[in-house]
Amino acid sequence: MSIPQSPLASNSPARSLLIGSGFVLAYATMLMVGDLFYFEPENITIHWPASGLLVAGLLISQYRIWPVLLVLSLILHVVVDVSLHEDPFELVLYNGTTNVLEALFGAWLVRRYSSDRVDMGNLRNVLALIILAGLVSTALGSFSGAAIAVQFGASSYWVAWYQWWFSHALGVLVIAPSILACRSSTRSQLGSHGRFPMGELSALFVVLVAIAQLVFGSSLLPGFLLIEFPYLVFPPMIWAASVSYT
């Protein structure tokens, strides 16, 4: 007698649909979070978490899924950007295409020079993610991003280049390792860490976002709430990095 397959089996359409819906929701959320750090006239954010989510999504997916993720990401980028800003469509499409190709190149480099199963338990994988996806691909993408930013009002090409590179590198280095590390752990492990339970992880994320808003500012906050001390973001990041998962 054959055993009926679970609707959420690894190769079932229901599971694929569930994962795809989760990616769409997560990527749209990351786009809106990144918009909180958006400023003019450079038309560039100072933190772009969507880049890290897309890199991680590509790294944990099979190659045949990559075109689907890339097309979904580009469509979401255009829809969210058009709904939040009155930027010219050419600018939105160009930025979205640059973001997608940058993440694609970074994920391909990591897959090319590390193991097929990218996790954070291997030093080679960690270095490949940091150097190739976090620094190299974002630096190359910044040349294209800065060029279009200058064309649409940025004051300096190299200032725009640095801001694009910093925001996307920060997104990859903060978001992608977190997703890959969580994927490497089983659900039971995530719920049973004595020193770092999920409640503490959630609280740390909220604190880090709140401090980033107070330091770097946003249109949602009045000026008197802003703090001109960027190094304030380091304590929670050091706290997260120093906690053991054993």
Side-chain angles (χ1 to χ4, degrees), residues 50-116:
S51 59
L53 175 61
L54 183 53
V55 168
L58 293 172
L59 290 176
I60 64 179
S61 303
Q62 298 178 2
Y63 284 118
R64 61 185 178 84
I65 307 296
W66 283 23
V68 178
L69 294 180
L70 296 174
V71 171
L72 285 176
S73 301
L74 180 58
I75 294 174
L76 287 169
H77 189 285
V78 172
V79 171
V80 172
D81 208 350
V82 168
S83 64
L84 294 177
H85 302 285
E86 297 181 356
D87 294 331
F89 181 76
E90 313 89 79
L91 172 62
V92 174
L93 183 61
Y94 192 97
N95 281 340
T97 303
T98 301
N99 289 328
V100 167
L101 294 179
E102 175 188 289
L104 171 63
F105 185 58
W108 178 82
L109 285 176
V110 174
R111 278 281 186 90
R112 173 67 176 80
Y113 293 101
S114 66
S115 59
D116 288 336

Side-chain angles (χ1 to χ4, degrees), residues 2-243:
S2 61
I3 300 176
Q5 187 180 34
S6 169
L8 295 181
S10 60
N11 58 348
S12 67
R15 186 175 185 273
S16 300
L17 179 61
L18 181 62
I19 294 175
S21 301
F23 175 80
V24 169
L25 179 60
Y27 195 76
T29 302
M30 290 296 182
L31 290 173
M32 290 184 284
V33 170
D35 187 75
L36 297 176
F37 302 93
Y38 179 91
F39 66 98
E40 296 179 350
E42 278 71 16
N43 295 317
I44 298 174
T45 69
I46 54 176
H47 179 39
W48 192 243
S51 59
L53 175 61
L54 183 53
V55 168
L58 293 172
L59 290 176
I60 64 179
S61 303
Q62 298 178 2
Y63 284 118
R64 61 185 178 84
I65 307 296
W66 283 23
V68 178
L69 294 180
L70 296 174
V71 171
L72 285 176
S73 301
L74 180 58
I75 294 174
L76 287 169
H77 189 285
V78 172
V79 171
V80 172
D81 208 350
V82 168
S83 64
L84 294 177
H85 302 285
E86 297 181 356
D87 294 331
F89 181 76
E90 313 89 79
L91 172 62
V92 174
L93 183 61
Y94 192 97
N95 281 340
T97 303
T98 301
N99 289 328
V100 167
L101 294 179
E102 175 188 289
L104 171 63
F105 185 58
W108 178 82
L109 285 176
V110 174
R111 278 281 186 90
R112 173 67 176 80
Y113 293 101
S114 66
S115 59
D116 288 336
R117 179 180 174 83
V118 181
D119 57 53
M120 295 295 95
N122 183 292
L123 179 60
R124 181 177 179 179
N125 292 341
V126 173
L127 292 177
L129 180 65
I130 293 174
I131 297 173
L132 300 178
L135 301 179
V136 174
S137 68
T138 53
L140 294 176
S142 300
F143 288 104
S144 177
I148 195 64
V150 169
Q151 184 176 349
F152 283 90
S155 56
S156 168
Y157 176 86
W158 288 110
V159 170
W161 181 93
Y162 173 76
Q163 291 170 344
W164 180 291
W165 173 77
F166 178 83
S167 64
H168 285 235
L170 184 62
V172 172
L173 296 177
V174 171
I175 302 299
S178 302
I179 296 175
L180 295 173
C182 289
R183 179 177 179 270
S184 300
S185 301
T186 64
R187 182 177 301 180
S188 60
Q189 288 174 326
L190 285 173
S192 61
H193 284 312
R195 296 188 58 190
F196 207 164
M198 291 304 295
E200 188 174 356
L201 177 62
S202 302
L204 175 62
F205 178 77
V206 172
V207 169
L208 185 58
V209 170
I211 291 178
Q213 284 294 294
L214 291 174
V215 171
F216 299 110
S218 120
S219 58
L220 301 179
L221 296 176
F224 68 89
L225 288 179
L226 303 183
I227 303 174
E228 295 184 1
F229 189 65
Y231 300 104
L232 194 62
V233 300
F234 286 123
M237 296 181 69
I238 295 174
W239 167 33
S242 63
V243 174

